[in-house]
Amino acid sequence: MNLDFTETQEILKKTAREFMARYYPKSLVRELEEDAIGFRSDIWKEMAKLGWLGWIIPEEYDGVGGSFMDTVVLFEEMGRACFLLPFFSTVICTLPLVTAGSEEQKKEFLPGIASGETIFSLALTEPSATYDAAGINTRAVVQGNEYLINGTKLFIHDAQVAHYFLCAARTKTNESRPEDGITLFIVDAKIPGIKITPLHTIADDKQCEVIFENVKVAEKYVVGQLHQGFPIIEKLLEYAAMAKCAEMMGGADWVVENCTSYATERVQYGKPIGSYGIIQNYLAEMWAEIGIAKRFTYYAAWLLNEGLPCSKEVAMAKSWAGDVYRRWTRMGVQIFGGIGTTREHDMGLYYRRGRQAPLLFGDPDSLREKVAQEMGL
Amino acid sequence: MDFRLTAEQESLKREFEEFFAREESRAPEGWSGGLFAIFESDENWAYHRSVAERLAEKGWLSLPWPKEYGGKEHSYIEQLIFNEVKAYHRVPGVDMWGPQIVAPSILEHGSEELKKKWLPRIARGEINWCQGWSEPNAGSDLASLTTKAVEDGDDFVINGQKIWTTGAHRADHIFFLARTDQNAPKHRGITYFVSEIDKPGITIRPLLYMHKKREYNEVFFDNFRVPKKNVVGQVNQGWYVTMAGINFERSMIGTVAELKRGLEELVEFCKKTVHHGRPLGEATLVRQKLAQMAIELEATKQWAYYVSWLQSKGQNVPAESSAAKWFSSELTVRFANIAIEIMGLYGTLKEGSKWARLQGRYEDLCQASLGITIAGGTTETMKNIIAWMGLKLPR
Ligand SMILES: Cc1cc2nc3c(=O)[nH]c(=O)nc-3n(C[C@H](O)[C@H](O)[C@H](O)COP(=O)(O)OP(=O)(O)OC[C@H]3O[C@@H](n4cnc5c(N)ncnc54)[C@H](O)[C@@H]3O)c2cc1C
């Protein structure tokens, strides 16, 4: 057993912390929140130089050949910095390309991702707003050696800057088994028939509605087997859940540290508020619950990284981390008092993300239901 | 990060599993496990003692000690595995106080003579201990204790009262704290003693727990004599000896493992029990509650491993281990209450009734678990430690 970060991970953590401090101050977070596109190519290029965009891409496709566990460290630091650029979107689409993509697809797309030229976005969820197979009703119909895609995708992250979509569409209808007949396509975001409309969310992140109207995709852009896309999506969702957990836990670290230091400095009734029992109680609970959730996240992410069975643990970790993040981003505002409720104060950035992140890639209630099923109930 | 156990640890774990599965099958009728079940009846006590003998034969009562005192020099992680497997099987046999509190104190602070005299007897499981720390007016603020120890020739003469002394009625030995300097600041005038119990000058009176079982006691010292050579560490330095010795299962893996077993049984119960024409386990609310318990348990388990990992690297982690204590004990209370809620009225029946469910375990645990969030430091004290020592908040 060794529960420490590896040396590589320690270095990544340090580099990422410094990177965010230098390139990604909170003033920029606010600026990008207000901006419709919310992208900065100069920062993106710096990230590519550090190898982050190609971290999990094998070396033969110009990547670093690192592990998913390493990126957990990056996601943590990004969560801590309230990072908005499409790193999450791109990495989440890269994973299935690496594991299920054809040789031709890998050669065509992976080097571009690693160099920062290509941005991917996952076009999965639809107006049903669920992550299950029954929610996928966008249709892809074969026409010669092409497919014609029609349907509406909703809550699509970073679609406004994406060069490609990894799009899930139904190629076959099977009433009793909705997971049968779903296919994954790589879709060029610039081809005619795609309409992208921004959504405005509580976290001011960049999400869109994406409508596909008779969008043509060549057969060679099917990822994996025809009709067999759903198992790939299920795996992808596990990676996404763990990456989201890591982001939340990075944000949670910020909350603990900043609430603790504020409680030490802020004086009321002649004493620091952190000397009052009830505030100490909040902070001790916050520290412990977040610490526990973080260790759990590492455990589940490690299982996933090692290719060990982990559906239950991933669902557990995301459910728990989501609940904990919700609770303590709310109490964080309470500890800061009035100042915490302002647009200027950073606590609000985390509070707003704390309303959203627990719902992404599995909300605590539906993940508990999944755990119940895994327990044989 | 690597959560795998080494090959040796895996094989040790299998050895533990086989051993405790066998010992579990020898449990007397009605045995329910848990922290204090050993004190309940002569039969339970005999079971505890017989497992202790077998553990001693294997050298498993002294896993982490140095070889020269009968130990096996195993790491924290191996001790953790032992505690986990043992608790999962609900097998007794380890005196909570002997190997885990007194022995480490003697190892770290005792004279060579004390070590030679007491450690082998603890490793052989020959003696049973109780812990005389708390007093009626010294609980969370333990250092304010007033039991007095006065020098008289080769002895100290003890007068005063202890309370909540778990298992004093079954133990043959006691370790306790008494004040040897009335004028020193309160932490600096306390001495740590070990002693036989079956001597004149000591009276043990039962104090029944709310479920009517006899677990703890009141202990009265009336000119009770203890030889000076029975002082652990230096006179007046007992507080510091105490602090070093509170090593008792800091990770709380035992609590977690017991709950895990309980949850598995509760899940089976919910699958089999039909209410309103369908299995309990099909009701959304029941599923949510059980899943939440499973999640919190797994989270606590990972934390327990983490605490042990830090300790195995020689780190002193008061905040982390306090979080483990607080969280696991409060989780036990939540679990017991949820179990009763799910079982409904049947869950409220005591063991022994033909209508009781799951041997009445949760009727009992609903009460017994309340002691866990108090004994060994209250939840509030654990949070204070986190706030003061972990987060360095002002006092
Ligand atoms: C089942 C059981 C078994 C036990 N076994 C033993 C044993 O074998 N040997 C032994 O020596 N002792 C034993 N104890 C005693 C135990 O250690 C004490 O009960 C415990 O330390 C609390 O002390 P108290 O009961 O005096 O409560 P108090 O200290 O009076 O506490 C009362 C309440 O005030 C809170 N409180 C106190 N101080 C603070 C503070 N500074 N900040 C915030 N809140 C505070 C407490 O958390 C609690 O909620 C046992 C207790 C129980 C319940």
Side-chain angles (χ1 to χ4, degrees), chain B residues 36 97 131-134 139-140 163-166 209 216 371 374-378 380-381 384:
Chain B
F36 302 124
W97 298 274
Q131 177 191 42
W133 285 2
S134 306
S140 300
I163 193 170
W164 321 117
T165 324
T166 305
Y209 198 87
Y216 42 46
I374 295 167
T378 64
E380 294 71 25
T381 301
N384 284 342

PDB file of all heavy atoms in Angstrom, chain B residues 36 97 131-134 139-140 163-166 209 216 371 374-378 380-381 384, ligand 1:
ATOM      1  N   PHE B  36     -19.084  -4.277  24.117  1.00  0.00           N
ATOM      2  CA  PHE B  36     -19.184  -4.629  25.520  1.00  0.00           C
ATOM      3  C   PHE B  36     -19.840  -5.975  25.794  1.00  0.00           C
ATOM      4  O   PHE B  36     -20.052  -6.335  26.946  1.00  0.00           O
ATOM      5  CB  PHE B  36     -19.941  -3.528  26.280  1.00  0.00           C
ATOM      6  CG  PHE B  36     -19.292  -2.181  26.158  1.00  0.00           C
ATOM      7  CD1 PHE B  36     -20.000  -1.095  25.676  1.00  0.00           C
ATOM      8  CD2 PHE B  36     -17.968  -2.014  26.525  1.00  0.00           C
ATOM      9  CE1 PHE B  36     -19.388   0.157  25.560  1.00  0.00           C
ATOM     10  CE2 PHE B  36     -17.340  -0.774  26.406  1.00  0.00           C
ATOM     11  CZ  PHE B  36     -18.069   0.304  25.922  1.00  0.00           C
ATOM     12  N   TRP B  97      -8.039  -2.789  26.481  1.00  0.00           N
ATOM     13  CA  TRP B  97      -7.121  -1.898  27.203  1.00  0.00           C
ATOM     14  C   TRP B  97      -5.702  -2.444  27.306  1.00  0.00           C
ATOM     15  O   TRP B  97      -4.751  -1.691  27.231  1.00  0.00           O
ATOM     16  CB  TRP B  97      -7.688  -1.628  28.605  1.00  0.00           C
ATOM     17  CG  TRP B  97      -8.992  -0.934  28.500  1.00  0.00           C
ATOM     18  CD1 TRP B  97      -9.184   0.402  28.384  1.00  0.00           C
ATOM     19  CD2 TRP B  97     -10.290  -1.527  28.433  1.00  0.00           C
ATOM     20  NE1 TRP B  97     -10.509   0.687  28.245  1.00  0.00           N
ATOM     21  CE2 TRP B  97     -11.224  -0.473  28.275  1.00  0.00           C
ATOM     22  CE3 TRP B  97     -10.776  -2.841  28.471  1.00  0.00           C
ATOM     23  CZ2 TRP B  97     -12.589  -0.688  28.174  1.00  0.00           C
ATOM     24  CZ3 TRP B  97     -12.146  -3.046  28.369  1.00  0.00           C
ATOM     25  CH2 TRP B  97     -13.040  -1.990  28.230  1.00  0.00           C
ATOM     26  N   GLN B 131      -9.806   0.584  32.812  1.00  0.00           N
ATOM     27  CA  GLN B 131      -9.170   1.886  32.691  1.00  0.00           C
ATOM     28  C   GLN B 131      -9.793   2.877  33.670  1.00  0.00           C
ATOM     29  O   GLN B 131     -10.928   3.293  33.492  1.00  0.00           O
ATOM     30  CB  GLN B 131      -9.351   2.390  31.262  1.00  0.00           C
ATOM     31  CG  GLN B 131      -8.812   3.754  30.999  1.00  0.00           C
ATOM     32  CD  GLN B 131      -9.267   4.263  29.645  1.00  0.00           C
ATOM     33  OE1 GLN B 131     -10.423   4.088  29.255  1.00  0.00           O
ATOM     34  NE2 GLN B 131      -8.373   4.881  28.922  1.00  0.00           N
ATOM     35  N   GLY B 132      -9.053   3.241  34.716  1.00  0.00           N
ATOM     36  CA  GLY B 132      -9.570   4.169  35.714  1.00  0.00           C
ATOM     37  C   GLY B 132      -9.084   5.582  35.468  1.00  0.00           C
ATOM     38  O   GLY B 132      -8.166   6.066  36.134  1.00  0.00           O
ATOM     39  N   TRP B 133      -9.679   6.211  34.480  1.00  0.00           N
ATOM     40  CA  TRP B 133      -9.303   7.603  34.187  1.00  0.00           C
ATOM     41  C   TRP B 133     -10.391   8.566  34.651  1.00  0.00           C
ATOM     42  O   TRP B 133     -10.173   9.424  35.477  1.00  0.00           O
ATOM     43  CB  TRP B 133      -9.031   7.781  32.677  1.00  0.00           C
ATOM     44  CG  TRP B 133      -7.714   7.194  32.253  1.00  0.00           C
ATOM     45  CD1 TRP B 133      -6.836   6.520  33.056  1.00  0.00           C
ATOM     46  CD2 TRP B 133      -7.132   7.221  30.951  1.00  0.00           C
ATOM     47  NE1 TRP B 133      -5.742   6.139  32.315  1.00  0.00           N
ATOM     48  CE2 TRP B 133      -5.893   6.543  31.027  1.00  0.00           C
ATOM     49  CE3 TRP B 133      -7.529   7.748  29.719  1.00  0.00           C
ATOM     50  CZ2 TRP B 133      -5.054   6.396  29.916  1.00  0.00           C
ATOM     51  CZ3 TRP B 133      -6.702   7.598  28.618  1.00  0.00           C
ATOM     52  CH2 TRP B 133      -5.473   6.928  28.724  1.00  0.00           C
ATOM     53  N   SER B 134     -11.608   8.405  34.098  1.00  0.00           N
ATOM     54  CA  SER B 134     -12.657   9.396  34.347  1.00  0.00           C
ATOM     55  C   SER B 134     -13.107   9.401  35.803  1.00  0.00           C
ATOM     56  O   SER B 134     -13.076   8.371  36.482  1.00  0.00           O
ATOM     57  CB  SER B 134     -13.866   9.106  33.466  1.00  0.00           C
ATOM     58  OG  SER B 134     -13.477   9.017  32.128  1.00  0.00           O
ATOM     59  N   GLY B 139     -14.383  14.593  33.234  1.00  0.00           N
ATOM     60  CA  GLY B 139     -14.735  13.803  32.050  1.00  0.00           C
ATOM     61  C   GLY B 139     -13.929  14.291  30.872  1.00  0.00           C
ATOM     62  O   GLY B 139     -12.753  13.958  30.730  1.00  0.00           O
ATOM     63  N   SER B 140     -14.541  15.131  30.073  1.00  0.00           N
ATOM     64  CA  SER B 140     -13.809  15.713  28.941  1.00  0.00           C
ATOM     65  C   SER B 140     -12.559  16.430  29.443  1.00  0.00           C
ATOM     66  O   SER B 140     -11.501  16.358  28.831  1.00  0.00           O
ATOM     67  CB  SER B 140     -14.697  16.718  28.195  1.00  0.00           C
ATOM     68  OG  SER B 140     -15.835  16.071  27.710  1.00  0.00           O
ATOM     69  N   ILE B 163     -15.230   6.677  37.789  1.00  0.00           N
ATOM     70  CA  ILE B 163     -16.575   6.336  37.291  1.00  0.00           C
ATOM     71  C   ILE B 163     -16.491   5.943  35.820  1.00  0.00           C
ATOM     72  O   ILE B 163     -15.505   6.265  35.161  1.00  0.00           O
ATOM     73  CB  ILE B 163     -17.554   7.529  37.510  1.00  0.00           C
ATOM     74  CG1 ILE B 163     -19.007   7.073  37.304  1.00  0.00           C
ATOM     75  CG2 ILE B 163     -17.193   8.709  36.642  1.00  0.00           C
ATOM     76  CD1 ILE B 163     -20.045   8.099  37.736  1.00  0.00           C
ATOM     77  N   TRP B 164     -17.513   5.234  35.361  1.00  0.00           N
ATOM     78  CA  TRP B 164     -17.597   4.720  33.982  1.00  0.00           C
ATOM     79  C   TRP B 164     -16.511   3.678  33.706  1.00  0.00           C
ATOM     80  O   TRP B 164     -16.108   3.508  32.572  1.00  0.00           O
ATOM     81  CB  TRP B 164     -17.458   5.818  32.913  1.00  0.00           C
ATOM     82  CG  TRP B 164     -18.127   7.114  33.210  1.00  0.00           C
ATOM     83  CD1 TRP B 164     -17.530   8.313  33.375  1.00  0.00           C
ATOM     84  CD2 TRP B 164     -19.525   7.323  33.365  1.00  0.00           C
ATOM     85  NE1 TRP B 164     -18.468   9.279  33.638  1.00  0.00           N
ATOM     86  CE2 TRP B 164     -19.699   8.698  33.634  1.00  0.00           C
ATOM     87  CE3 TRP B 164     -20.656   6.489  33.317  1.00  0.00           C
ATOM     88  CZ2 TRP B 164     -20.946   9.257  33.856  1.00  0.00           C
ATOM     89  CZ3 TRP B 164     -21.890   7.057  33.539  1.00  0.00           C
ATOM     90  CH2 TRP B 164     -22.021   8.417  33.795  1.00  0.00           C
ATOM     91  N   THR B 165     -16.025   3.017  34.743  1.00  0.00           N
ATOM     92  CA  THR B 165     -14.911   2.090  34.537  1.00  0.00           C
ATOM     93  C   THR B 165     -15.449   0.804  33.892  1.00  0.00           C
ATOM     94  O   THR B 165     -15.960  -0.089  34.581  1.00  0.00           O
ATOM     95  CB  THR B 165     -14.213   1.781  35.870  1.00  0.00           C
ATOM     96  OG1 THR B 165     -14.237   2.969  36.658  1.00  0.00           O
ATOM     97  CG2 THR B 165     -12.793   1.318  35.635  1.00  0.00           C
ATOM     98  N   THR B 166     -15.310   0.743  32.584  1.00  0.00           N
ATOM     99  CA  THR B 166     -15.851  -0.375  31.822  1.00  0.00           C
ATOM    100  C   THR B 166     -15.161  -1.676  32.217  1.00  0.00           C
ATOM    101  O   THR B 166     -13.930  -1.737  32.286  1.00  0.00           O
ATOM    102  CB  THR B 166     -15.668  -0.128  30.314  1.00  0.00           C
ATOM    103  OG1 THR B 166     -16.265   1.124  29.997  1.00  0.00           O
ATOM    104  CG2 THR B 166     -16.318  -1.227  29.487  1.00  0.00           C
ATOM    105  N   TYR B 209     -26.180   0.426  32.489  1.00  0.00           N
ATOM    106  CA  TYR B 209     -26.422   1.181  31.256  1.00  0.00           C
ATOM    107  C   TYR B 209     -27.930   1.245  31.021  1.00  0.00           C
ATOM    108  O   TYR B 209     -28.680   0.460  31.582  1.00  0.00           O
ATOM    109  CB  TYR B 209     -25.720   0.464  30.093  1.00  0.00           C
ATOM    110  CG  TYR B 209     -25.523   1.337  28.867  1.00  0.00           C
ATOM    111  CD1 TYR B 209     -24.393   2.137  28.752  1.00  0.00           C
ATOM    112  CD2 TYR B 209     -26.472   1.362  27.851  1.00  0.00           C
ATOM    113  CE1 TYR B 209     -24.210   2.945  27.636  1.00  0.00           C
ATOM    114  CE2 TYR B 209     -26.299   2.173  26.735  1.00  0.00           C
ATOM    115  CZ  TYR B 209     -25.163   2.966  26.627  1.00  0.00           C
ATOM    116  OH  TYR B 209     -24.991   3.759  25.521  1.00  0.00           O
ATOM    117  N   TYR B 216     -20.222  -0.672  32.581  1.00  0.00           N
ATOM    118  CA  TYR B 216     -19.316   0.162  33.368  1.00  0.00           C
ATOM    119  C   TYR B 216     -19.660   0.106  34.854  1.00  0.00           C
ATOM    120  O   TYR B 216     -20.658  -0.500  35.264  1.00  0.00           O
ATOM    121  CB  TYR B 216     -19.253   1.599  32.846  1.00  0.00           C
ATOM    122  CG  TYR B 216     -20.559   2.251  32.441  1.00  0.00           C
ATOM    123  CD1 TYR B 216     -21.691   2.176  33.240  1.00  0.00           C
ATOM    124  CD2 TYR B 216     -20.648   2.962  31.244  1.00  0.00           C
ATOM    125  CE1 TYR B 216     -22.865   2.807  32.866  1.00  0.00           C
ATOM    126  CE2 TYR B 216     -21.829   3.589  30.866  1.00  0.00           C
ATOM    127  CZ  TYR B 216     -22.926   3.510  31.676  1.00  0.00           C
ATOM    128  OH  TYR B 216     -24.089   4.118  31.303  1.00  0.00           O
ATOM    129  N   GLY B 371     -23.122   5.323  23.680  1.00  0.00           N
ATOM    130  CA  GLY B 371     -21.912   5.358  24.494  1.00  0.00           C
ATOM    131  C   GLY B 371     -20.661   5.583  23.658  1.00  0.00           C
ATOM    132  O   GLY B 371     -19.670   6.136  24.149  1.00  0.00           O
ATOM    133  N   ILE B 374     -19.475   9.046  23.159  1.00  0.00           N
ATOM    134  CA  ILE B 374     -19.065   9.712  24.405  1.00  0.00           C
ATOM    135  C   ILE B 374     -17.765   9.122  24.941  1.00  0.00           C
ATOM    136  O   ILE B 374     -16.819   9.847  25.265  1.00  0.00           O
ATOM    137  CB  ILE B 374     -20.193   9.595  25.457  1.00  0.00           C
ATOM    138  CG1 ILE B 374     -21.431  10.368  24.978  1.00  0.00           C
ATOM    139  CG2 ILE B 374     -19.725  10.114  26.825  1.00  0.00           C
ATOM    140  CD1 ILE B 374     -22.689  10.085  25.764  1.00  0.00           C
ATOM    141  N   ALA B 375     -17.720   7.780  25.006  1.00  0.00           N
ATOM    142  CA  ALA B 375     -16.540   7.116  25.571  1.00  0.00           C
ATOM    143  C   ALA B 375     -15.295   7.425  24.736  1.00  0.00           C
ATOM    144  O   ALA B 375     -15.380   7.582  23.525  1.00  0.00           O
ATOM    145  CB  ALA B 375     -16.766   5.608  25.598  1.00  0.00           C
ATOM    146  N   GLY B 376     -14.176   7.495  25.430  1.00  0.00           N
ATOM    147  CA  GLY B 376     -12.912   7.722  24.718  1.00  0.00           C
ATOM    148  C   GLY B 376     -12.808   9.104  24.120  1.00  0.00           C
ATOM    149  O   GLY B 376     -12.011   9.347  23.216  1.00  0.00           O
ATOM    150  N   GLY B 377     -13.602  10.049  24.629  1.00  0.00           N
ATOM    151  CA  GLY B 377     -13.607  11.404  24.080  1.00  0.00           C
ATOM    152  C   GLY B 377     -14.868  11.638  23.277  1.00  0.00           C
ATOM    153  O   GLY B 377     -15.163  10.896  22.346  1.00  0.00           O
ATOM    154  N   THR B 378     -15.622  12.668  23.648  1.00  0.00           N
ATOM    155  CA  THR B 378     -16.914  12.901  22.995  1.00  0.00           C
ATOM    156  C   THR B 378     -16.706  13.450  21.575  1.00  0.00           C
ATOM    157  O   THR B 378     -15.636  13.966  21.235  1.00  0.00           O
ATOM    158  CB  THR B 378     -17.762  13.929  23.776  1.00  0.00           C
ATOM    159  OG1 THR B 378     -17.068  15.189  23.753  1.00  0.00           O
ATOM    160  CG2 THR B 378     -17.977  13.502  25.223  1.00  0.00           C
ATOM    161  N   GLU B 380     -17.846  16.108  20.513  1.00  0.00           N
ATOM    162  CA  GLU B 380     -17.508  17.537  20.620  1.00  0.00           C
ATOM    163  C   GLU B 380     -16.020  17.715  20.873  1.00  0.00           C
ATOM    164  O   GLU B 380     -15.385  18.621  20.317  1.00  0.00           O
ATOM    165  CB  GLU B 380     -18.326  18.192  21.745  1.00  0.00           C
ATOM    166  CG  GLU B 380     -19.833  18.255  21.493  1.00  0.00           C
ATOM    167  CD  GLU B 380     -20.531  16.889  21.571  1.00  0.00           C
ATOM    168  OE1 GLU B 380     -20.025  15.975  22.255  1.00  0.00           O
ATOM    169  OE2 GLU B 380     -21.585  16.722  20.925  1.00  0.00           O
ATOM    170  N   THR B 381     -15.466  16.840  21.720  1.00  0.00           N
ATOM    171  CA  THR B 381     -14.026  16.914  21.986  1.00  0.00           C
ATOM    172  C   THR B 381     -13.231  16.632  20.708  1.00  0.00           C
ATOM    173  O   THR B 381     -12.227  17.301  20.428  1.00  0.00           O
ATOM    174  CB  THR B 381     -13.644  15.907  23.097  1.00  0.00           C
ATOM    175  OG1 THR B 381     -14.399  16.230  24.262  1.00  0.00           O
ATOM    176  CG2 THR B 381     -12.167  15.965  23.422  1.00  0.00           C
ATOM    177  N   ASN B 384     -13.249  19.651  18.701  1.00  0.00           N
ATOM    178  CA  ASN B 384     -12.333  20.651  19.268  1.00  0.00           C
ATOM    179  C   ASN B 384     -10.898  20.357  18.859  1.00  0.00           C
ATOM    180  O   ASN B 384     -10.134  21.275  18.536  1.00  0.00           O
ATOM    181  CB  ASN B 384     -12.425  20.669  20.798  1.00  0.00           C
ATOM    182  CG  ASN B 384     -13.680  21.367  21.290  1.00  0.00           C
ATOM    183  OD1 ASN B 384     -14.318  22.123  20.552  1.00  0.00           O
ATOM    184  ND2 ASN B 384     -14.042  21.116  22.535  1.00  0.00           N
TER     185      ASN B 384
HETATM  186  C1  LIG C   1     -20.035   3.539  27.574  1.00  0.00           C
HETATM  187  C2  LIG C   1     -18.942   4.297  28.213  1.00  0.00           C
HETATM  188  C3  LIG C   1     -17.790   3.650  28.615  1.00  0.00           C
HETATM  189  C4  LIG C   1     -16.762   4.349  29.228  1.00  0.00           C
HETATM  190  N1  LIG C   1     -15.659   3.655  29.647  1.00  0.00           N
HETATM  191  C5  LIG C   1     -14.705   4.299  30.357  1.00  0.00           C
HETATM  192  C6  LIG C   1     -13.629   3.601  30.934  1.00  0.00           C
HETATM  193  O1  LIG C   1     -13.525   2.389  30.797  1.00  0.00           O
HETATM  194  N2  LIG C   1     -12.720   4.273  31.670  1.00  0.00           N
HETATM  195  C7  LIG C   1     -12.786   5.630  31.830  1.00  0.00           C
HETATM  196  O2  LIG C   1     -11.894   6.186  32.463  1.00  0.00           O
HETATM  197  N3  LIG C   1     -13.803   6.342  31.296  1.00  0.00           N
HETATM  198  C8  LIG C   1     -14.768   5.711  30.577  1.00  0.00           C
HETATM  199  N4  LIG C   1     -15.830   6.423  30.055  1.00  0.00           N
HETATM  200  C9  LIG C   1     -15.933   7.850  30.362  1.00  0.00           C
HETATM  201  C10 LIG C   1     -15.782   8.777  29.171  1.00  0.00           C
HETATM  202  O3  LIG C   1     -14.432   8.901  28.818  1.00  0.00           O
HETATM  203  C11 LIG C   1     -16.423  10.129  29.565  1.00  0.00           C
HETATM  204  O4  LIG C   1     -17.791   9.922  29.761  1.00  0.00           O
HETATM  205  C12 LIG C   1     -16.219  11.189  28.510  1.00  0.00           C
HETATM  206  O5  LIG C   1     -14.850  11.555  28.442  1.00  0.00           O
HETATM  207  C13 LIG C   1     -17.091  12.417  28.743  1.00  0.00           C
HETATM  208  O6  LIG C   1     -17.031  12.893  30.036  1.00  0.00           O
HETATM  209  P1  LIG C   1     -18.356  13.202  30.868  1.00  0.00           P
HETATM  210  O7  LIG C   1     -19.204  12.018  30.797  1.00  0.00           O
HETATM  211  O8  LIG C   1     -17.926  13.688  32.192  1.00  0.00           O
HETATM  212  O9  LIG C   1     -19.070  14.369  30.070  1.00  0.00           O
HETATM  213  P2  LIG C   1     -18.707  15.924  30.145  1.00  0.00           P
HETATM  214  O10 LIG C   1     -17.247  16.104  29.938  1.00  0.00           O
HETATM  215  O11 LIG C   1     -19.314  16.558  31.326  1.00  0.00           O
HETATM  216  O12 LIG C   1     -19.460  16.431  28.851  1.00  0.00           O
HETATM  217  C14 LIG C   1     -20.838  16.747  28.777  1.00  0.00           C
HETATM  218  C15 LIG C   1     -21.107  17.415  27.449  1.00  0.00           C
HETATM  219  O13 LIG C   1     -20.360  18.630  27.330  1.00  0.00           O
HETATM  220  C16 LIG C   1     -19.560  18.615  26.184  1.00  0.00           C
HETATM  221  N5  LIG C   1     -18.305  19.330  26.443  1.00  0.00           N
HETATM  222  C17 LIG C   1     -17.466  19.188  27.496  1.00  0.00           C
HETATM  223  N6  LIG C   1     -16.400  19.976  27.356  1.00  0.00           N
HETATM  224  C18 LIG C   1     -16.553  20.635  26.168  1.00  0.00           C
HETATM  225  C19 LIG C   1     -15.782  21.609  25.464  1.00  0.00           C
HETATM  226  N7  LIG C   1     -14.612  22.048  25.908  1.00  0.00           N
HETATM  227  N8  LIG C   1     -16.265  22.043  24.271  1.00  0.00           N
HETATM  228  C20 LIG C   1     -17.444  21.602  23.794  1.00  0.00           C
HETATM  229  N9  LIG C   1     -18.211  20.705  24.419  1.00  0.00           N
HETATM  230  C21 LIG C   1     -17.770  20.228  25.591  1.00  0.00           C
HETATM  231  C22 LIG C   1     -19.329  17.136  25.922  1.00  0.00           C
HETATM  232  O14 LIG C   1     -18.940  16.889  24.594  1.00  0.00           O
HETATM  233  C23 LIG C   1     -20.675  16.559  26.270  1.00  0.00           C
HETATM  234  O15 LIG C   1     -21.538  16.735  25.204  1.00  0.00           O
HETATM  235  C24 LIG C   1     -16.876   5.731  29.445  1.00  0.00           C
HETATM  236  C25 LIG C   1     -18.030   6.402  29.028  1.00  0.00           C
HETATM  237  C26 LIG C   1     -19.061   5.702  28.424  1.00  0.00           C
HETATM  238  C27 LIG C   1     -20.294   6.441  28.025  1.00  0.00           C
END
